[in-house]
Amino acid sequence: MRLAGAELEARARRVRLLALDVDGVLTAGCIRYSSAGEEMKRFSVLGGLGITLLRRAGIRAAVTTARRSAMVDRRVAELGIEHCLQGREDKFEALQELLGELGMDAAEVAYMGDDLPDLCAILRVGLGLTVANASSEVASRAPWQSRARGGEGAVREACEMILRARGEWETQLAAYLP
């Protein structure tokens, strides 16, 4: 069931935490290896600024991923993301543990994922999000889907949607206007 209008805005206004999958959401979902065997990922700067804008508006951010990567640690640190849950196959279980630590409810969370390991979290939080190129099972079930593909502005689009629903987009935009 896709959300739109008043219901989408109501859920977005409740968001206090944006949780994101990494591969396929913050990145295009490709894992590259150098000839020396080093893993490489490509992150979108659009998504990075979106996360920064959310954080400035008082919304926390977290990433959760089944893999472990030093590049994810680096990107999370660059963006000031407070919570990095790596090596977690069960994304919703990891999220529940984090919510317990933060004293938050799942209804206050937006979660963006792209594939089957993300589906439970997408369906059990207050605002489930996915990317334009999500797996068909996720795309057909997620309450909201970006127009942009993972790693190509999808996270930014979600951040802007949340900020607009909360009436905070113009405030964030004003910092960049003369």
Side-chain angles (χ1 to χ4, degrees):
M1 163 192 79
R2 288 279 187 260
L3 292 177
E7 179 64 20
L8 176 62
E9 286 187 20
R11 289 193 190 193
R13 279 194 300 270
R14 288 193 300 261
V15 171
R16 293 178 51 212
L17 173 71
L18 173 64
L20 303 161
D21 177 35
V22 176
D23 295 319
V25 174
L26 283 171
T27 75
C30 299
I31 300 169
R32 297 178 184 184
Y33 296 98
S34 71
S35 59
E38 294 175 309
E39 182 180 330
M40 295 175 281
K41 295 180 186 286
R42 181 180 63 121
F43 294 90
S44 168
V45 295
L46 292 172
L49 182 57
I51 292 165
T52 298
L53 296 174
L54 275 187
R55 290 186 57 254
R56 287 181 188 161
I59 299 169
R60 294 177 163 189
V63 298
T64 178
T65 178
R67 298 175 52 83
R68 291 188 181 274
S69 169
M71 281 151 297
V72 171
D73 285 331
R74 179 177 175 180
R75 186 64 175 150
V76 162
E78 287 174 350
L79 295 175
I81 294 173
E82 303 158 298
H83 309 284
C84 183
L85 311 170
Q86 294 197 64
R88 300 300 301 263
E89 294 285 334
D90 188 326
K91 309 285 182 79
F92 187 67
E93 179 182 298
L95 197 53
Q96 282 183 300
E97 291 171 13
L98 176 60
L99 293 178
E101 291 172 26
L102 297 175
M104 294 174 76
D105 186 82
E108 299 172 298
V109 176
Y111 181 90
M112 187 174 225
D114 70 312
D115 211 345
L116 296 178
D118 304 302
L119 192 54
C120 184
I122 288 170
L123 296 176
R124 294 180 78 185
V125 298
L127 183 55
L129 314 169
T130 195
V131 298
N133 58 323
S135 73
S136 62
E137 293 298 329
V138 172
S140 69
R141 288 172 171 82
W144 184 87
Q145 186 173 26
S146 66
R147 288 186 213 109
R149 297 169 61 87
E152 297 177 7
V155 171
R156 171 64 169 276
E157 193 177 327
C159 293
E160 285 188 27
M161 178 270 294
I162 292 167
L163 288 167
R164 287 178 193 278
R166 294 169 57 99
E168 298 181 35
W169 174 248
E170 292 301 321
T171 302
Q172 297 303 317
L173 179 61
Y176 298 94
L177 296 174

